[in-house]
Amino acid sequence: MILFIKLFLSHLLGDFIWQPNKWVADKETKKHKSIYLYLHVLLHGILAAILVGEISFIPYAAFIAITHGFIDFIKLNFQKKKTKRTWFVVDQIAHILILIAITLLYQNKNMIHFWLDDEFWILVTGIIFITKPTSIFIKTIISIWNPESQNSNQDNSLANAGNYIGILERLFIFCFILLGHFEAIGFLLAAKSIFRFGDLKEAKDRKLTEYVLIGTLISFGIAILVGQVVQALIL
């Protein structure tokens, strides 16, 4: 299991944390002619090899990199503006299936842990997952709706404030679950409702309110689920 955790962590780092928006935009424009596509593929191979920490895993890491590039190539050439959300889901599922296959095929069970135990990798993977990767996932899933409030003034809002608020609330929920304080999640949701939905009520924009509510519930749900899974794996 810990092998899959490490491979999944390398995927999160390579696909979300250490892939700048500049790379994504360039790949979507130039497709296979983009140098960033090949840098992205190389990064995935290096991350997988480093996190597993076994010389015998290098061929498997190379296979992960090659298949990752092939899957991305297909997505870049077939996705359209209207099918972007669908291709995002298909792309991620394909990558995860490859990691599962590698986990089942790799025979060496004596991996180097860099003096760190299994609980560390599980905890770090959970934390990384509920930050930027989850933000991108939620944004992609609810992109089918794009309400714009005519009554709100964007100048009154901090840049990317909603994104950072979502990450912070998920981290709080994650910590609450690991500490066994589920009641604190209710207080957090109530506090956000008072501040956030009070503004939406004043804007009198029902669609925007529903949009924010859906995003909030998905965010809370993912954080609770990840917290529960990590707690179960650690214990």
Side-chain angles (χ1 to χ4, degrees):
M1 180 192 67
I2 199 61
L3 173 59
F4 176 76
I5 294 295
K6 289 185 175 184
L7 293 179
F8 185 58
L9 176 59
S10 72
H11 174 73
L12 294 177
L13 294 174
D15 238 22
F16 300 98
I17 305 300
W18 290 336
Q19 181 175 206
N21 293 332
K22 177 183 177 181
W23 290 22
V24 177
D26 193 78
K27 288 191 302 179
E28 290 180 348
T29 301
K30 300 179 181 179
K31 297 180 173 56
H32 63 280
K33 295 181 180 180
S34 173
I35 184 64
Y36 296 117
L37 173 62
Y38 304 100
L39 290 176
H40 178 66
V41 169
L42 180 62
L43 177 62
H44 273 278
I46 293 175
L47 285 172
I50 291 176
L51 291 184
V52 174
E54 283 290 330
I55 295 178
S56 60
F57 189 77
I58 292 179
Y60 294 88
F63 179 77
I64 290 174
I66 293 172
T67 53
H68 192 101
F70 179 71
I71 293 170
D72 280 8
F73 172 81
I74 293 176
K75 182 188 71 172
L76 291 170
N77 282 274
F78 285 94
Q79 73 175 4
K80 305 297 180 183
K81 187 175 181 180
K82 292 183 178 180
T83 60
K84 207 169 183 179
R85 186 165 55 99
T86 301
W87 275 104
F88 172 82
V89 175
V90 172
D91 171 79
Q92 292 302 312
I93 290 176
H95 291 318
I96 298 303
L97 289 176
I98 292 295
L99 299 185
I100 292 175
I102 293 296
T103 301
L104 296 175
L105 290 173
Y106 188 58
Q107 299 299 320
N108 192 344
K109 305 301 181 183
N110 299 315
M111 294 182 297
I112 298 175
H113 288 236
F114 300 123
W115 306 285
L116 301 171
D117 55 21
D118 294 351
E119 287 76 11
F120 170 83
W121 297 108
I122 296 171
L123 185 62
V124 169
T125 302
I127 292 173
I128 294 296
F129 180 76
I130 60 176
T131 57
K132 186 178 179 180
T134 298
S135 295
I136 295 176
F137 175 78
I138 294 174
K139 182 179 179 181
T140 302
I141 292 300
I142 65 177
S143 62
I144 187 174
W145 305 291
N146 187 26
E148 295 182 358
S149 176
Q150 299 178 351
N151 301 321
S152 63
N153 187 353
Q154 297 298 328
D155 295 334
N156 293 331
S157 178
L158 298 175
N160 295 319
N163 181 45
Y164 292 123
I165 290 172
I167 291 175
L168 287 173
E169 72 185 18
R170 288 192 294 273
L171 289 174
F172 277 124
I173 292 171
F174 185 78
C175 292
F176 292 153
I177 291 177
L178 294 186
L179 294 173
H181 291 290
F182 286 87
E183 70 281 358
I185 300 175
F187 286 106
L188 182 62
L189 180 59
K192 182 176 182 179
S193 299
I194 293 173
F195 288 101
R196 183 58 169 151
F197 296 108
D199 294 337
L200 292 171
K201 183 179 180 181
E202 291 180 4
K204 297 180 180 179
D205 193 328
R206 181 174 179 178
K207 290 183 179 180
L208 183 60
T209 302
E210 293 172 341
Y211 178 81
V212 173
L213 181 59
I214 291 172
T216 297
L217 293 178
I218 294 176
S219 179
F220 271 66
I222 292 176
I224 293 172
L225 178 61
V226 173
Q228 292 278 51
V229 171
V230 169
Q231 185 182 53
L233 292 177
I234 290 178
L235 297 179

